[in-house]
Amino acid sequence: MKLEVFELERFQSEWEHQVEYNLTESGIQPLQVKELLTSENLISKMLDIRLGYSQTNGTIPLRQLVSDIYPTAGVDNVLITVGGAEANFVSSWYLLKEVPGNEIALMLPNYMQIHGLWKNKGGKVNPFYLYPRDGRWQLDVEELKKAVTSNTSAITICNPNNPTGAVLDSNDLKVVVDLAEDKDIWILSDEIYRGAELSGALTPSVFDIYDKVMVTSSLSKVYGLPGLRLGWIVCSSDSVTHDLWTHTDYTTICPAKLSDWLAILALDSSLQESIRERLRDHLRSNWTVMENWLQHHSDVFSFIPPKAAAICFPKHNLPMTSLEFVDRLRKEKSVLIIPGEQFGMESYFRIGFGYEKDGLTQGLNRVSELIESVK
Ligand SMILES: Cc1ncc(COP(=O)(O)O)c(C=O)c1O
């Protein structure tokens, strides 16, 4: 079977380092190593680390810190992975192989990793969409119900959502949970942007409200540490968590030893709070730039402000496809944004505003130049 290409990641891999202004990132400017190493003592401890294999499911101190993020989780519910990417890979693989039914109900628009993984492993994907209605992104309950059949093993959501930055409101989340409970199926919830809410109010985790759940996440977005490649699955069943661990023997064996060690520093309570505060300040202040720019082009864009993450998903009325515009933007203006087609929605762009402020302003100015010349 031919591999379904993960268009979004391919596109970023090809171009993100070739342009002057990369406005595709969904996170903020990453931290520097020295921001984690806050004392001479820590520097010297790090220099003494032997670079052997690490505890393959993550060290106990790290799993303890991750479990603390979810009040009802314990260390045995946590599997450390190489980024959220491996967390999604392993949980999808497990669901498809070990759980009856080869279908998933998948929320769209979405970071398309689980979509592609599932199809590449021979499964069937039944989509249900978020729709922009009454100023927010909402589920269509009937569509969701239709997406769940007798062959469905899991409902998969991305909440907060990539690419819209939307957070499911409590009614919509309850509909998802009630339906899963009624059908006795899993929820796979990618919550990598949980903690990156502009308002600071934490999105509820499905882990704390449903008991047949795998939550995937990582340090890449909220903690500004994508280069550590450090993620996790938090699973409601200890024995399934153990089974998920047997899968990582075939993928990466273990997280990098240095990453496990540095992740413990990042999740330490004092540093964790300041890292998250830094994120919120940056998101709020850059969103002002982004929002002003969108309003300046109100004849071209309609948009719903994101509730979380450094991304927004405006709809445009330009006389060309998003793909064509993005291609010209890259070639003529050396700016990269993501065409909506890569999330299964045409006439949209995903624009990241996590860049440092001057770069964001300059990049957006160049997008304006192209808009003015084509509209
Ligand atoms: C929704 C979502 N899940 C998972 C990932 C992968 O994250 P990581 O860099 O931690 O592997 C991303 C990356 O952009 C994402 O947006």
Side-chain angles (χ1 to χ4, degrees), residues 108-124:
L108 286 180
N110 201 317
Y111 177 69
M112 299 297 267
Q113 187 197 1
I114 293 174
H115 181 275
L117 277 174
W118 202 262
K119 289 188 128 183
N120 285 325
K121 288 177 187 293
K124 180 165 181 278

Side-chain angles (χ1 to χ4, degrees), residues 6 8-9 12 25-27 82-88 110-114 158-163 190-193 216-221 225-227 229-231 311 350:
F6 190 176
L8 172 64
E9 284 300 336
Q12 287 186 268
E25 283 301 328
S26 56
V82 176
E86 190 189 25
N88 284 337
N110 201 317
Y111 177 69
M112 299 297 267
Q113 187 197 1
I114 293 174
C158 177
N159 190 41
N161 177 254
N162 178 0
D190 182 335
E191 298 180 2
I192 201 166
Y193 297 99
T216 57
S217 190
S218 81
L219 295 182
S220 300
K221 312 296 176 183
L225 295 167
R229 309 306 304 127
L230 198 296
I311 41 179
R350 191 189 83 178

Side-chain angles (χ1 to χ4, degrees), residues 29-37 223-225 262 271 278:
Q29 185 88 333
L31 288 177
Q32 293 174 297
V33 180
K34 65 183 174 195
E35 293 176 83
L36 295 177
L37 298 175
Y223 299 87
L225 295 167
L262 288 166
L271 199 52
R278 163 189 180 268

Side-chain angles (χ1 to χ4, degrees), residues 33 36-37 42-55 59 62 80 219 225 227-230 254-266:
V33 180
L36 295 177
L37 298 175
L42 282 175
I43 295 173
S44 118
K45 274 191 176 163
M46 190 177 90
L47 293 178
D48 282 343
I49 291 175
R50 279 191 196 281
L51 294 174
Y53 289 104
S54 192
Q55 171 63 30
T59 57
L62 178 56
I80 301 298
L219 295 182
L225 295 167
L228 287 188
R229 309 306 304 127
L230 198 296
C254 65
K257 184 143 190 161
L258 262 185
S259 297
D260 189 302
W261 190 81
L262 288 166
I264 291 172
L265 298 185

